[in-house]
C-alpha cells in the first residue's frame, strides 16, 4: 500500500498560510538537507497551485546557478525528475513532469495509496492538505514548527469531526529555533 506524507511549515500558533509579507517561514539548508534522500525517493509531489507556481519559479533552473550550494543543486534535480500533481481549478499550463488535477483530488490521490510502495509527499497547498486530512488520506505528518506567532492566517488543522490518535516517530531541533515533529497513524486507517 502506498503512503501519503504531509510536509508543512507552520507557526507556533498553527498558522500554515498567511497573506502577510512577514518573512516566514525559515527555509534553509540545515532544515531540509537531512531529508533530501527521503524526498528524492518520493514517487510524487503534490502541490496546491500557489506552491507549485512558487516552486516552478525557482527550482527548474536553480541547478544552473553558479553560486548555489550542492544541496540546492541536488534538490533542484530531484524536484524536476519527480512526478508532480497540482491541485488547481485555474492553472492551465504546467511543465517539469507535472499534471493538473482539477476539482476534487480525493479519488485521484486515494488511488496513489492503492499502488504498492508508492510514496507521495504533499508540500504546501493548505486547502489540498485539509481535504486529504478530512478524507483520512494522510498517513504521516512532518511538521516544521517555526518560532513565530503570526496571530492571523489560515491554520493547518481546522476543527475535525474525527478523532485521530497518532504516534510520534521522531523530532529534530535546529539552530534557527525550528522544531520538526514527525507523527504517523499507528496502523492503516
Amino acid at each position: 500500500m502506498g503512503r501519503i506524507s504531509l510536509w508543512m511549515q507552520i507557526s507556533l500558533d498553527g498558522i500554515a498560510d498567511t497573506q502577510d509579507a512577514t518573512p516566514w517561514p525559515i527555509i534553509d539548508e540545515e532544515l531540509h538537507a537531512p531529508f533530501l534522500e527521503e524526498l528524492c525517493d518520493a514517487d510524487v509531489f503534490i502541490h496546491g497551485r500557489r506552491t507549485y507556481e512558487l516552486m516552478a519559479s525557482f527550482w527548474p533552473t536553480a541547478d544552473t546557478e553558479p553560486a548555489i550550494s550542492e544541496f540546492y543543486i541536488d534538490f533542484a534535480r530531484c524536484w524536476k525528475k519527480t512526478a508532480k500533481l497540482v491541485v488547481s481549478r485555474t492553472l492551465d499550463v504546467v511543465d517539469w513532469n507535472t499534471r493538473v488535477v482539477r476539482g476534487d483530488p480525493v479519488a485521484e490521490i486515494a488511488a496513489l495509496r492503492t499502488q504498492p510502495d508508492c510514496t507521495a509527499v504533499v508540500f504546501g497547498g493548505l486547502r489540498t492538505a485539509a481535504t486529504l486530512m478530512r478524507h483520512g488520506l494522510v498517513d504521516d505528518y512532518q511538521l516544521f514548527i517555526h518560532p513565530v506567532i503570526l496571530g492571523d492566517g489560515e491554520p493547518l488543522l481546522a476543527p475535525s469531526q474525527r478523532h485521530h490518535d497518532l504516534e510520534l516517530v521522531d523530532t529534530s531541533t535546529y539552530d534557527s529555533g525550528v522544531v520538526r515533529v514527525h507523527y504517523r497513524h499507528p496502523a492503516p486507517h
Side-chain angles (χ1 to χ4, degrees):
M1 180 165 172
R3 294 191 63 73
I4 308 293
S5 182
L6 173 67
W7 293 53
M8 189 67 71
Q9 313 288 333
I10 63 172
S11 64
L12 184 60
D13 55 344
I15 303 301
D17 190 19
T18 179
Q19 298 300 318
D20 191 346
T22 304
W24 93 280
I26 299 163
I27 305 291
D28 63 15
E29 200 166 321
E30 178 200 20
L31 213 62
H32 293 94
F35 308 106
L36 182 61
E37 186 175 330
E38 183 178 348
L39 291 172
C40 290
D41 285 344
D43 298 296
V44 180
F45 292 153
I46 301 169
H47 299 306
R49 179 196 50 83
R50 285 188 355 205
T51 302
Y52 172 76
E53 289 176 336
L54 181 67
M55 302 287 271
S57 72
F58 179 73
W59 292 113
T61 59
D63 57 348
T64 64
E65 297 293 325
I68 203 157
S69 77
E70 193 65 34
F71 166 77
Y72 286 100
I73 291 170
D74 291 343
F75 184 75
R77 291 175 180 159
C78 166
W79 187 84
K80 287 190 290 188
K81 77 167 180 63
T82 303
K84 288 166 281 300
L85 295 178
V86 179
V87 178
S88 174
R89 291 182 182 100
T90 60
L91 192 62
D92 291 321
V93 178
V94 294
D95 204 348
W96 308 106
N97 199 17
T98 305
R99 187 167 51 84
V100 175
V101 176
R102 301 209 182 276
D104 187 1
V106 172
E108 184 144 2
I109 293 171
L112 293 174
R113 291 175 82 215
T114 66
Q115 298 176 20
D117 301 321
C118 179
T119 301
V121 175
V122 180
F123 283 117
L126 184 58
R127 287 175 192 85
T128 299
T131 298
L132 299 179
M133 287 186 287
R134 190 170 51 254
H135 287 88
L137 293 175
V138 175
D139 298 295
D140 68 303
Y141 301 81
Q142 298 257 15
L143 304 178
F144 295 83
I145 304 166
H146 293 259
V148 61
I149 296 173
L150 295 172
D152 191 29
E154 292 187 58
L156 172 62
L157 301 174
S160 174
Q161 294 181 355
R162 294 176 42 185
H163 178 94
H164 298 271
D165 286 322
L166 303 172
E167 63 184 24
L168 180 64
V169 176
D170 65 349
T171 62
S172 306
T173 58
Y174 301 91
D175 291 341
S176 61
V178 173
V179 175
R180 180 192 62 90
V181 294
H182 180 187
Y183 291 104
R184 71 175 166 223
H185 289 275
H189 60 286

